[in-house]
Amino acid sequence: MRAAIFRGPRDIAVGERPDPVIQEPTDAIVRVVLACVCGSDLWYYRGESPHAAGSIGHEFVGVVEETGAEVSTVTRGDLVVAPFIYSDMSCPHCQNGSTISCVQGGNFGDGTIDGGQGEAVRVPLAGSTLVPVPGAGHSDQTLRSLLTLSDVMATGHHAAVSGGVRRGDVVAVVGDGAVGLSAVLAARRLGADRIIALSRHPDRQVIAKEFGATDIVEARGDAATEAVMDMTNGIGADASLECVGTAQAIATAFALARPGSTVGMVGIPHGDVPVAQAFFRNVGWRGGPTPARIYIPELLDEVLEGTINPGLVLDYETDLDHVADAYAAMDERRAIKSLIRIGTL
């Protein structure tokens, strides 16, 4: 089958991988319909995080083609959303809310396991991993939003949940990429009264406002902190959501958090948490990779009802033949998030 192959920094190409086959009775084969490029893929693309040569991509929706003998929750022909990590949903870690730590789990597209940026994927632990989508005849807009549930919208939601966003809160969101924009939408879902989005890009500001941002701050670093403090009468945000992972973004997120609050951190850290500053202000932090499999069902219902439309973050589209363009567009900030159209329903 054809699939995106990571060959090294800034070297993504379409190549051939073995057609996936059932290896375990808990497997399923999924034909990919839509996939996308994740912000974390860019860390590999830029050579800032290690990645084995081979398969890549972990966000996809598709149609079940075949199931192993022990898979009963999905069947051939089902449209499914796949969280970016497969899990058994029954180990102690899954039961404690951390499906990304599943003792039997693993990552899609890690160089050896099939990646979502390909024509088909063997899904281990398919019965507990895949989430079937009810109904039929879904619009392309709906399919795009369903795709975001595999990671990016679930990650934004995790930021808001980890930050303890509550009804009536003032929330600051650091980062205007797809995750940051998703965090704005998630904060609105949870009832935040005021959402301050840090963004310097007009196109992203438009989506932030549509998702629920009430205020935009274009400054960075100390200037951003000063602006948010002015807007909150010197108090700071009830919840600060860090959605980038750079040292400056982390420092800003903690500076914006009011004493006694919690920073929701979901950007892959490439900087240190300012522990001393947080300690003396009683500011905590929670977060990490999102347990997407736990969040998908509730978010899926709202996508199907039309209550949320997170697919708006997918503002660049191409096909598998041009997957390298999908990466370049995001790397050059010509795109918020790239959609890769691979198959059809």
Side-chain angles (χ1 to χ4, degrees), residues 39-40 43 48-49 155 174-177 179-180 241-254 263-274:
S40 63
W43 293 113
E48 297 179 28
S49 293
T155 297
V174 180
D176 65 353
V179 172
L241 311 184
E242 197 290 305
C243 303
V244 184
T246 63
Q248 183 183 69
I250 294 170
T252 299
F254 276 87
V263 175
M265 289 184 62
V266 295
I268 297 177
H270 286 71
D272 295 329
V273 173

Side-chain angles (χ1 to χ4, degrees), residues 13 23 73 88 91 112 130 142 194 224 229 247-248 294:
Q23 298 179 18
T73 57
D88 62 16
C91 79
T112 56
L130 297 173
T142 297
R194 190 176 188 186
M229 288 301 169
Q248 183 183 69
I294 293 174

